[in-house]
């Protein structure tokens, strides 16, 4: 069953014929919605997938009008208003109670649209919505078309404002599995709302002081970032972190989701192991060509102190041994054979790389990839390779260092260990 | 194809939709009808009934006042996508958590003590992105782009919980929200 409730600012005076037409179009909208798959739903009639052991709620939550692509968007001058409609329905196989509410949007960590929780206090553009929290109890196939108004207050400055509405299970799904920790499980689907108040719009990015954090037993680098402008930005760029000697200990690309105007969030980069205590500097370069935005933050200071979290292995991946052998011999060098054993005391690592940093008379001359896309299972892994200088063995003292990096899913490479060879190849 | 052309195209199909009841508006102006969705395909993302017990090396956590522990649990999430080619819009799946509390305990376990350790069994066509992120904020587990092949699978999410030294024994409960956010919902 579908029932429709209108927003208080838009009392319905339609006659029965009009209502019937609306219902017909609602049926079409529901059809299209499921066809577009813009909300959680279950297809009881045609799904060949195996059934779940227990019946679970399935939410259908979408704009009532097709073509909205799963979100609402309006351009309004201060003092103007608009009315939208959303469809909420039980698209599952058993009766369930659902609650629908408006909540503040925020920019998620590393960017992205996110919505506050049910109990949160609405602020800003969320207060422009006439969408009080309501609870519904639907049998399978039942739903409601709910109209709601958005009114932009007089005096609102130009900008892009975001907020949202959500539909979620009213009663947590809980199982008594025993054990010390129990979960209440909630399903939620979100629709975003963007309101454009015409005028000049541009994003402005500012960064804060980086810090190393340990969350959930996982070390990481956190950099506060704020968009103090009045429209979104979706920047990409590069981060480099150097230790006090100037050596890069972390490098890689940064790709952020949307950071909306007036929002503050964080850039978070997970690390396979904590950085050693000491002083570091962070170079961060971000750009968003679509909005003509460039941010270059150089030498941001970062101080790392000793972590007290005993659940973290300080260095689970190490170069446990390494040898450097001139071939065929030290008096007649043609090649340098480099052999290393890497010990991984933690979970398997899917992507690591071992690089040889080569110096001649104290000056770095080459970085040679001894092994790329290296898989490190738990335990020992042997790696070997032969090195021949691009320029040949020219006169001087040749020194070598191994650098072991892990590469995260985002392409960020983190130096987890180094090994400096005592051996020097002296070429007269 | 503009919106109106699409609506007219679908109007014929809509005749297949059963409108089995049409009741007069109530005092609160509510109109009820029955909708039957037929062979249109859909996307379903839901918790799967499975064991979710936090264990340390296969055992119940033995919390002491002097040593911390790290427990892990596995969550199964079922994704079923039967939408037609050309109609599969992208979406992301995320989880969020509240603090765990126990009656009588003065040491609640904050969300930042929870972390997603791995997302297993995700097809190669999706991008698992949540591994290594704490649940101090919602963590996106995977993203499926527009027009990607349909995903019908069960993924396993391993969540780690750091139990700090001094945590009082007890029965702790918290809330975990599974969230589906269509990519188009990013306004």
């Amino acid at each position: 069953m579908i029932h429709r409730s209108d927003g208080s600012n838009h009392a319905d005076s339609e006659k029965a014929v009009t209502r019937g037409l609306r219902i017909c179009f609602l049926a079409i909208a529901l059809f299209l919605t499921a066809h577009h798959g813009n909300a959680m739903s279950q297809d009881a009639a045609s799904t060949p997938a195996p059934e779940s052991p227990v019946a679970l709620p399935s939410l259908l939550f979408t704009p009532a009008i097709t073509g909205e692509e799963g979100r609402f968007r309006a351009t309004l001058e201060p003092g103007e208003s608009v009315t939208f409609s959303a469809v909420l329905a039980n698209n599952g196989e058993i009766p369930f109670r659902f609650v629908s509410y408006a909540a503040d949007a925020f920019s998620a960590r590393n960017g992205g649209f996110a919505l506050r929780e049910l109990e949160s206090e609405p602020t800003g553009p969320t207060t422009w919505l006439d969408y009080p929290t309501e609870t519904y109890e639907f049998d399978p196939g039942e739903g409601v078309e709910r109209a709601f108004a958005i009114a932009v207050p007089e005096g609102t400055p130009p900008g892009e404002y975001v907020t949202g509405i959500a539909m979620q299970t009213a009663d947590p799904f809980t199982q008594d599995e025993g054990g010390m920790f129990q979960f209440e499980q909630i399903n939620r689907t979100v629709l975003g709302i963007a309101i454009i108040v015409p005028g000049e719009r541009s994003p402005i990015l500012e960064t804060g002081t980086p810090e190393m954090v340990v969350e959930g037993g996982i070390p990481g680098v956190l950099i506060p970032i704020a968009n103090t402008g009045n429209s979104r930005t979706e920047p990409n760029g590069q981060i480099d972190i150097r230790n006090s000697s100037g050596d890069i200990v972390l490098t890689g690309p940064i790709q952020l989701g949307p950071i909306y105007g007036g929002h503050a969030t964080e850039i978070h980069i997970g690390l396979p192991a904590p950085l050693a205590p000491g002083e570091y500097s962070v170079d961060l370069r971000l750009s968003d060509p679509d909005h003509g935005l460039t941010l270059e933050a150089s030498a941001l200071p970062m101080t790392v102190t000793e972590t007290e979290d005993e659940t973290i292995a300080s260095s689970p991946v190490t170069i446990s041994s390494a040898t450097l052998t001139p071939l065929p011999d030290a008096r007649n060098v043609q090649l340098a054979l480099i052999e290393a054993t890497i010990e991984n005391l933690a979970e398997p690592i899917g992507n690591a790389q071992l690089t040889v940093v080569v110096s001649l008379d104290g000056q770095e001359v080459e970085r040679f990839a001894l092994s790329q896309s290296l898989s490190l299972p738990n335990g020992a892994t042997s790696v070997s390779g032969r090195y021949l200088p691009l320029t040949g063995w020219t006169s001087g003292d040749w020194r070598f260092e191994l650098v072991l990096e892990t590469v995260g899913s985002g392409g960020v490479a983190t130096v987890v260990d180094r090994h400096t060879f005592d051996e020097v190849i002296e070429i007269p | 194809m503009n919106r109106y052309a699409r609506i007219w195209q679908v109007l014929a199909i809509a005749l297949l939709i059963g409108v089995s009841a049409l009741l007069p508006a109530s005092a609160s102006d509510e109109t009820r009808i029955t909708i039957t969705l037929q062979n249109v395909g859909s996307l379903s993302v839901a918790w799967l009934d499975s064991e979710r017990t936090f264990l340390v090396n296969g055992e119940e956590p033995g919390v002491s006042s002097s040593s911390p522990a790290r427990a892990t649990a596995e969550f199964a999430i079922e994704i079923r996508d039967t939408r037609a080619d050309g109609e599969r819009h992208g979406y992301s799946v995320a989880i969020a958590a509240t603090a765990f509390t126990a009656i009588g305990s003065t040491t609640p376990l904050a969300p930042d003590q929870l972390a997603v350790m791995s997302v297993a069994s995700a097809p190669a066509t999706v991008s698992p992105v949540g591994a290594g992120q704490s649940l101090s904020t919602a963590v996106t587990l995977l993203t499926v782009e527009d027009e990607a092949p349909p995903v019908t699978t069960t993924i396993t999410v391993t969540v780690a919980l750091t139990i700090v030294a001094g945590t009082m024994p007890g029965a702790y409960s918290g809330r975990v929200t599974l969230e589906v956010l269509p990519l188009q919902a990013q306004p």
Side-chain angles (χ1 to χ4, degrees):
Chain A
M1 303 284 279
I2 291 283
H3 57 129
R4 196 189 72 214
S5 63
D6 288 347
S8 58
N9 290 347
H10 293 268
D12 187 5
S13 60
E14 297 170 32
K15 299 185 185 297
V17 172
T18 306
R19 181 174 294 116
L21 284 173
R22 286 183 60 102
I23 292 165
C24 180
F25 275 93
L26 175 57
I28 297 168
L30 263 177
F31 178 89
L32 285 175
T33 295
H35 206 49
H36 280 228
N38 282 336
M40 293 170 59
S41 60
Q42 283 183 310
D43 178 17
S46 63
T47 303
E51 292 185 2
S52 302
V54 294
L56 297 170
S58 183
L59 297 74
L60 182 70
F61 189 40
T62 183
I65 304 299
T66 61
E68 298 292 336
E69 296 184 329
R71 51 103 172 103
F72 300 99
R73 190 175 181 86
T75 299
L76 298 172
E77 296 283 354
E80 289 185 340
S81 65
V82 67
T83 298
F84 288 125
S85 290
V87 171
L88 303 83
N90 178 354
N91 203 32
E93 300 164 2
I94 56 174
F96 262 98
R97 292 202 318 138
F98 303 99
V99 62
S100 189
Y101 56 94
D104 288 357
F106 66 99
S107 297
R109 180 177 280 187
N110 290 334
F113 180 84
L115 205 69
R116 301 283 179 206
E117 299 301 315
L118 170 61
E119 299 84 2
S120 62
E121 184 69 24
T123 65
T126 309
T127 63
W128 305 349
L129 276 59
D130 181 17
Y131 198 92
T133 300
E134 288 193 23
T135 302
Y136 304 91
E137 187 163 359
F138 295 145
D139 285 329
E142 281 189 337
V144 62
E145 180 191 2
R146 179 171 175 180
F148 63 98
I150 303 172
V152 177
E154 294 283 0
T156 301
E160 178 192 45
Y161 299 87
V162 292
T163 179
I165 54 178
M167 177 186 184
Q168 71 181 45
T169 47
D171 305 303
F173 175 67
T174 306
Q175 288 180 284
D176 184 8
E177 296 131 341
M180 188 174 175
F181 303 99
Q182 296 289 313
F183 288 102
E184 294 180 340
Q185 296 177 317
I186 297 284
N187 277 14
R188 177 168 95 148
T189 300
V190 168
L191 295 177
I193 300 170
I195 304 155
I196 307 295
V197 177
E200 190 170 338
R201 300 195 308 275
S202 63
I204 302 169
L205 281 181
E206 296 177 1
T207 59
T209 302
E211 61 174 330
M212 200 194 82
V213 296
V214 177
E215 296 176 339
I218 298 174
V221 172
L222 210 57
I223 305 172
I225 187 165
N227 180 356
T228 58
N230 62 358
S231 70
R232 84 182 72 181
T233 179
E234 198 167 342
N236 297 323
Q238 174 80 18
I239 185 170
D240 296 317
I241 300 180
R242 299 173 191 273
N243 61 19
S244 56
S245 302
D247 295 325
I248 290 180
V249 296
L250 181 149
T251 183
I254 296 284
Q255 184 166 2
L256 301 177
I259 301 173
Y260 297 95
H263 290 188
T265 183
E266 301 150 330
I267 299 172
H268 179 268
I269 300 160
L271 301 174
L275 297 174
E279 300 294 329
Y280 295 84
S281 69
V282 179
D283 296 334
L284 180 65
R285 297 177 296 281
L286 295 173
S287 66
D288 179 357
D290 292 343
H291 297 94
L293 178 70
T294 300
L295 169 73
E296 291 207 15
S298 299
L300 297 171
M302 181 173 73
T303 301
V304 175
T305 56
E306 190 79 44
T307 178
E308 296 178 354
D309 191 332
E310 298 172 34
T311 64
I312 303 172
S314 59
S315 183
V317 187
T318 57
I319 302 170
S320 56
S321 66
T323 59
L324 174 72
T325 308
L327 294 177
D329 56 60
R331 293 174 180 270
N332 180 28
V333 180
Q334 295 181 8
L335 296 168
L337 174 64
I338 300 168
E339 298 173 296
T341 301
I342 299 167
E343 195 80 31
N344 179 11
L345 303 177
E347 296 293 314
I349 294 172
N351 193 2
Q353 56 194 26
L354 188 62
T355 304
V356 184
V357 181
V358 185
S359 300
L360 176 61
D361 293 334
Q363 296 294 316
E364 181 179 320
V365 293
E366 189 179 354
R367 285 179 177 253
F368 173 70
L370 197 63
S371 181
Q372 291 180 306
S373 300
L374 185 59
S375 179
L376 298 175
N378 181 266
T381 301
S382 296
V383 180
S384 65
R386 298 181 176 210
Y387 174 71
L388 173 66
L390 289 172
T391 57
W393 294 101
T394 56
S395 177
D397 290 345
W398 292 79
R399 297 177 185 273
F400 303 85
E401 181 186 37
L402 286 177
V403 177
L404 177 63
E405 298 168 296
T406 59
V407 183
S409 57
V412 175
T414 306
V415 177
V416 292
D417 201 11
R418 292 174 183 270
H419 176 90
T420 302
F421 290 99
D422 293 331
E423 296 90 341
V424 179
I425 295 179
E426 299 176 2
I427 305 297
Chain B
M1 183 182 299
N2 65 41
R3 177 189 306 177
Y4 300 105
R6 184 169 196 107
I7 286 176
W8 283 114
Q9 180 193 48
V10 174
L11 189 56
I13 304 172
L15 295 175
L16 299 174
I17 301 173
V19 182
S20 63
L22 177 59
L23 303 179
S26 66
S28 59
D29 195 29
E30 293 181 345
T31 305
R32 292 168 179 266
I33 62 172
T34 297
I35 299 295
T36 304
L37 302 174
Q38 296 186 356
N39 299 323
V40 293
S42 63
L43 168 66
S44 172
V45 180
W47 297 110
L48 200 60
D49 181 21
S50 62
E51 290 292 326
R52 284 175 295 274
T53 306
F54 273 105
L55 301 173
V56 179
N57 298 323
E59 303 289 338
E60 275 284 309
V63 181
S64 73
S65 59
S66 58
S67 62
R70 193 172 201 191
T72 58
E74 292 185 344
F75 290 77
I77 296 172
E78 185 186 62
I79 302 173
R80 289 191 290 176
D81 190 351
T82 59
R83 296 172 297 172
D85 289 347
E87 301 296 344
R88 284 191 301 276
H89 294 289
Y91 61 95
S92 61
V93 177
I95 61 171
T98 64
F100 279 65
T101 57
I103 296 173
S105 172
T106 57
T107 54
L109 301 173
D112 66 7
Q113 292 175 243
L114 289 156
V116 175
M117 301 303 293
S118 66
V119 181
S121 301
T125 53
V126 307
S127 307
V129 291
Q133 300 283 327
S134 85
L135 283 165
S136 57
T137 62
V139 172
T140 300
L141 299 176
L142 57 88
T143 297
V144 180
E145 300 293 338
D146 286 346
E147 304 300 328
V151 175
T152 295
T153 189
T154 298
I155 63 170
T156 302
V157 182
T158 302
V159 177
L161 171 63
T162 301
I163 308 167
V164 299
T167 299
M168 292 178 62
Y172 287 78
S173 66
R175 177 168 292 185
V176 180
T177 299
L178 173 64
E179 188 165 78
V180 175
L181 185 70
L183 294 187
Q184 300 92 330
Q186 300 211 2

